[in-house]
Amino acid sequence: MGAYSPINATFGVRFAQILETDTDFIKYHLKLNRKLIKLRHILHVVNKDTKHYQKGLTKINNGTTFSSSYYDNKNKLVGTYFLLSIERDLSYIELLKLRARNRGKFFKNELKIIRTRLRKVLKLSHILINEITINEQNWITRLQYLIYSKLVNVEFLLLGKKTKKKKSELIANELSCVFEGLNLLKNKKILDLSVVEEIKSKYNYYLKQYAGNIFSTVDLNNFMINTISKIQKFESNTENGFTSILFSHGYKPVLLKEEAPSKNNSGENEIHWIDFVTKVNDEEIFQLINDANNSKIKSIDDYDSKLLKWNDILNKQETNIAFKQHDEDNMDTDVLENEQILLAYIKYNVLMTSVSRDNMVFESLLKQWNIITSNKSVATSKKLNKYKEIERIVKNLTKFIKDLMELPGVFSSENLMNQLELLKTYYNVSLTSRCLGDLYQSKHDYLQALSLNINALKELENNLTELNDTDLEKLLLPSELINSNKVSNLRNSIKSSWNNIIALAEYDKHMNKNQNRWAVTNDKYNLSLIERIDDGVKYIHPKYIKLNNLFPLRPVIRPVPSKPTLFDLAFNYIEYEQDSNNNTEETSTSASTSPEEPETAKAEEVSTKKSGFLGLFRR
């Protein structure tokens, strides 16, 4: 039977369930509650005496009932019970951190809840390590309990206490022990590599920061080894001590030699962007930025992988800034400004990568459009579908460019703003002149096609007047997006299409002036050719000579007047011979039968005259 692994029971379950959203953390919290309920029943923690309910809680808070003897001799699930109680509070703290990260800052009540929970968690971890599992004989379980308790202490030192100065040395020492312990468990294949790397990536930033802003892996490795050796000297020689467990089970520290410093090492972690110079304090983010910038693009799929890298960098930078927000008063303003510039730089690259990806799609769709329009046998529906695809891509590109122009640092650069405006105009003008103009020209609407080309050329020239010739040569945007050759090619294509249709547009304008009074624009009501000749027209326009409209085969729809109301009004006063004879007979019989009821007869006569709408349509 293998040893119990507290790390897999906590961090391993977290990473296996991929906790990324609020709902994920809430589900994980509910699962922990169910496990704790079962453990309470197994360990008889449930207190049925509701009048003295606090006595049941003392088993958790003070640890008086659950001691090391109970853990060693009766039931080791007590350690799991305390471990999952701590994990439940830590998962709730992670949920609040996630909400603050998405929001960009912590609320005061959130920080108050986090500090309260961390004080409770720290108390439970001390009970778990110093009282419950102090005599644990299995070194794997004991070491993992110690690693977990040190991570709890780090969380408390980071957010649980509001102090002017963080205990940097203590945080660095605790994380050094955690990292070296995880390396030992990884080398012995006790823990999975994925779990170890996830924990390291979560706390790597804090170790580098509180160890004195160490960036190189060599310096970081040597710092951790020196920290372990210092702790070993001051730690008591107990079997369950952290360093004693490490060295007694194969831990061999190896100091690495420092590499020779490069000539350009002074500005190694600096990034120049527009008119700003920002320094990357996180070595991991700096390496990821270099990796994203050096990635080669051969197809659209390469853009997707590059975009994923930039999004990963963006999440890490937002996480770093979110954790610094609660300590903003004690942090240097220059450091905060540097982090915000770096964040704007990362967002700029995310959006620019999206623009480059859609630009590749746009160029390929334009080539397909040229092939389709060159073939006259292609149906109009196919052209319309292709036009809708190009229009959708242009809308996406326009949205990305607008987001770029709203970034801090971008709208303050006049040259970059003019170039982005030119890029947006380039896509819109290409859509109207190359695609929409061709559609109108194929439908013989030459006037509309000519007006689209004229407006497109005016819009392009207006944007070019804001840019100098030197600005076109020294573009801040990638060359594959916009350059002087692409602009000149677009201008020449607009002029050539303009020259091709200007004569046809003049002819169409002249013919529209000479249209007859009976010419209807809608083909549904157009007269046939025979009807036009019968009408005495001397001249027939060529566009009315169609094979499907030679004879009046279609029915002619004419307006029909509504129902005449005058006849209805007069109908009430028309008398017929049969009706008059019947009426006289009825009156004579009624007079003979009931001479004593003249009032009722009059009432019935009045009621019959008033029947119908306003007494008019009684028949």
Side-chain angles (χ1 to χ4, degrees):
M1 184 177 177
Y4 175 68
S5 176
I7 299 296
N8 283 329
T10 53
F11 286 97
V13 177
R14 280 195 214 176
F15 302 139
Q17 294 185 1
I18 312 175
L19 306 179
E20 293 181 349
T21 60
D22 289 11
T23 55
D24 296 337
F25 276 100
I26 291 170
K27 290 179 182 178
Y28 179 62
H29 195 270
L30 292 174
K31 289 180 181 179
L32 289 173
N33 276 332
R34 295 191 199 101
K35 291 180 181 179
L36 286 171
I37 289 170
K38 291 180 181 179
L39 287 172
R40 285 195 187 106
H41 284 283
I42 293 171
L43 299 172
H44 304 290
V45 180
V46 179
N47 188 9
K48 296 182 180 179
D49 188 5
T50 56
K51 291 183 179 180
H52 304 88
Y53 183 71
Q54 294 295 329
K55 291 182 180 180
L57 297 178
T58 56
K59 296 178 182 179
I60 304 172
N61 294 336
N62 298 329
T64 55
T65 304
F66 295 136
S67 60
S68 60
S69 60
Y70 187 92
Y71 176 81
D72 298 334
N73 302 322
K74 292 185 179 181
N75 200 337
K76 290 185 178 294
L77 287 176
V78 178
T80 305
Y81 176 62
F82 274 82
L83 180 72
L84 295 184
S85 299
I86 297 170
E87 178 67 12
R88 180 182 59 179
D89 288 331
L90 286 182
S91 66
Y92 184 67
I93 291 169
E94 290 296 327
L95 172 62
L96 296 180
K97 286 181 184 179
L98 176 65
R99 291 174 179 173
R101 192 184 310 134
N102 295 333
R103 194 187 308 117
K105 65 177 181 178
F106 279 105
F107 289 148
K108 289 183 179 179
N109 58 346
E110 287 179 341
L111 285 174
K112 187 177 180 180
I113 293 170
I114 288 173
R115 287 164 185 158
T116 304
R117 294 291 180 103
L118 285 174
R119 285 195 293 269
K120 174 188 172 184
V121 161
L122 187 65
K123 185 178 180 180
L124 290 176
S125 67
H126 284 316
I127 295 172
L128 177 64
I129 298 301
N130 300 325
E131 297 181 12
I132 304 296
T133 63
I134 191 170
N135 297 325
E136 174 63 47
Q137 298 300 318
N138 193 320
W139 71 272
I140 296 175
T141 305
R142 176 64 180 173
L143 181 62
Q144 293 189 39
Y145 273 130
L146 290 171
I147 290 173
Y148 191 81
S149 67
K150 289 182 180 298
L151 290 176
V152 171
N153 193 23
V154 169
E155 291 287 344
F156 176 76
L157 293 172
L158 289 173
L159 288 173
K161 235 177 180 182
K162 187 177 181 181
T163 56
K164 291 183 178 180
K165 292 184 179 180
K166 300 291 183 185
K167 294 183 179 180
S168 303
E169 185 178 357
L170 182 57
I171 294 173
N173 293 342
E174 294 284 72
L175 289 176
S176 298
C177 293
V178 169
F179 279 36
E180 291 301 306
L182 291 174
N183 288 333
L184 178 63
L185 294 172
K186 180 186 70 174
N187 295 333
K188 289 185 173 292
K189 297 182 179 180
I190 297 170
L191 285 179
D192 292 335
L193 178 63
S194 60
V195 177
V196 174
E197 293 300 324
E198 286 290 340
I199 297 174
K200 282 185 175 182
S201 64
K202 181 178 174 62
Y203 294 99
N204 192 33
Y205 171 76
Y206 300 108
L207 176 59
K208 292 177 180 179
Q209 180 184 3
Y210 292 105
N213 289 328
I214 295 175
F215 295 107
S216 65
T217 55
V218 176
D219 293 340
L220 187 63
N221 178 75
N222 295 338
F223 174 81
M224 291 189 295
I225 291 173
N226 293 329
T227 302
I228 293 294
S229 61
K230 289 178 184 179
I231 293 173
Q232 186 186 17
K233 292 179 181 178
F234 295 101
E235 193 178 45
S236 59
N237 294 323
T238 58
E239 294 182 357
N240 286 333
F242 190 87
T243 55
S244 61
I245 293 175
L246 287 181
F247 283 98
S248 60
H249 292 89
Y251 175 71
K252 295 179 180 180
V254 178
L255 292 171
L256 301 177
K257 294 182 180 180
E258 296 183 1
E259 298 177 356
S262 59
K263 295 180 181 180
N264 298 328
N265 195 26
S266 59
E268 184 180 6
N269 291 356
E270 288 184 352
I271 293 175
H272 297 267
W273 175 57
I274 312 177
D275 297 330
F276 303 98
V277 178
T278 178
K279 186 177 180 181
V280 185
N281 295 321
D282 193 341
E283 182 68 21
E284 182 183 4
I285 290 179
F286 183 72
Q287 292 176 359
L288 290 174
I289 289 174
N290 288 334
D291 186 21
N293 286 327
N294 296 327
S295 58
K296 296 181 180 180
I297 303 297
K298 294 181 180 179
S299 62
I300 297 176
D301 296 334
D302 296 333
Y303 275 117
D304 293 335
S305 61
K306 184 177 180 179
L307 188 60
L308 287 174
K309 291 178 182 178
W310 280 114
N311 283 323
D312 186 23
I313 298 168
L314 179 62
N315 292 332
K316 290 182 181 297
Q317 180 63 15
E318 287 178 343
T319 303
N320 295 341
I321 293 177
F323 282 117
K324 292 178 182 179
Q325 290 295 328
H326 69 281
D327 200 19
E328 186 176 354
D329 297 334
N330 302 321
M331 185 172 250
D332 191 3
T333 55
D334 294 335
V335 176
L336 287 174
E337 183 180 357
N338 181 81
E339 296 297 326
Q340 292 295 335
I341 293 172
L342 180 60
L343 181 65
Y345 168 77
I346 295 170
K347 289 182 178 179
Y348 177 83
N349 281 279
V350 171
L351 292 171
M352 191 57 68
T353 305
S354 302
V355 172
S356 301
R357 179 194 60 188
D358 287 356
N359 177 73
M360 182 177 285
V361 179
F362 175 76
E363 296 292 340
S364 63
L365 288 175
L366 272 184
K367 292 179 181 178
Q368 297 174 15
W369 175 263
N370 293 330
I371 295 172
I372 290 173
T373 52
S374 61
N375 189 2
K376 296 182 179 179
S377 62
V378 176
T380 307
S381 59
K382 190 174 182 180
K383 293 181 181 179
L384 286 173
N385 291 333
K386 187 60 64 177
Y387 172 77
K388 289 178 182 178
E389 291 180 14
I390 300 174
E391 186 182 22
R392 193 182 308 113
I393 290 296
V394 170
K395 286 182 179 179
N396 291 339
L397 286 165
T398 305
K399 180 182 178 300
F400 289 139
I401 293 171
K402 287 181 180 178
D403 294 339
L404 279 169
M405 296 172 74
E406 292 175 358
L407 282 177
V410 175
F411 57 78
S412 59
S413 176
E414 184 178 358
N415 189 14
L416 182 58
M417 288 289 288
N418 291 335
Q419 292 178 15
L420 288 171
E421 190 67 35
L422 176 63
L423 181 62
K424 185 174 67 173
T425 304
Y426 173 81
Y427 291 125
N428 291 324
V429 165
S430 299
L431 176 67
T432 55
S433 64
R434 292 179 176 176
C435 302
L436 192 60
D438 288 343
L439 278 177
Y440 277 107
Q441 187 174 354
S442 63
K443 300 298 289 183
H444 306 291
D445 198 346
Y446 303 111
L447 284 173
Q448 187 67 26
L450 181 63
S451 63
L452 285 173
N453 284 283
I454 292 172
N455 292 331
L457 188 61
K458 283 182 180 179
E459 189 175 357
L460 184 62
E461 293 293 342
N462 290 334
N463 284 113
L464 289 174
T465 53
E466 298 179 0
L467 287 170
N468 300 324
D469 295 335
T470 56
D471 294 338
L472 280 175
E473 294 175 359
K474 297 179 181 180
L475 287 170
L476 300 174
L477 300 175
S479 58
E480 65 269 11
L481 295 180
I482 191 74
N483 50 52
S484 57
N485 292 330
K486 294 181 75 172
V487 173
S488 61
N489 290 334
L490 178 61
R491 186 190 299 167
N492 294 332
S493 67
I494 294 173
K495 289 182 179 180
S496 62
S497 59
W498 185 350
N499 293 329
N500 290 335
I501 61 176
I502 189 169
L504 295 172
E506 287 292 336
Y507 177 74
D508 195 9
K509 184 178 179 181
H510 176 71
M511 298 307 295
N512 287 335
K513 287 182 179 179
N514 296 329
Q515 276 187 345
N516 296 299
R517 55 179 177 80
W518 37 261
V520 184
T521 56
N522 195 348
D523 292 338
K524 186 177 181 180
Y525 303 108
N526 277 347
L527 298 176
S528 64
L529 182 63
I530 299 300
E531 289 173 334
R532 294 179 189 277
I533 294 173
D534 292 340
D535 199 19
V537 180
K538 296 180 180 180
Y539 178 77
I540 302 296
H541 197 278
K543 68 179 181 180
Y544 294 115
I545 304 174
K546 297 180 182 179
L547 295 177
N548 57 357
N549 197 18
L550 294 176
F551 302 98
L553 299 177
R554 283 175 286 184
V556 178
I557 300 174
R558 301 184 185 279
V560 177
S562 61
K563 182 179 179 182
T565 57
L566 182 61
F567 178 75
D568 293 335
L569 292 172
F571 188 76
N572 294 324
Y573 301 96
I574 295 174
E575 292 182 356
Y576 300 95
E577 293 181 357
Q578 295 179 356
D579 294 339
S580 61
N581 295 330
N582 292 333
N583 290 333
T584 54
E585 292 177 359
E586 288 177 0
T587 52
S588 61
T589 54
S590 62
S592 61
T593 54
S594 58
E596 297 178 358
E597 296 178 354
E599 295 181 357
T600 56
K602 289 181 181 180
E604 290 178 359
E605 185 180 358
V606 171
S607 62
T608 54
K609 287 183 179 180
K610 290 183 178 181
S611 62
F613 181 73
L614 299 178
L616 300 177
F617 309 106
R618 61 186 180 86
R619 293 203 177 200

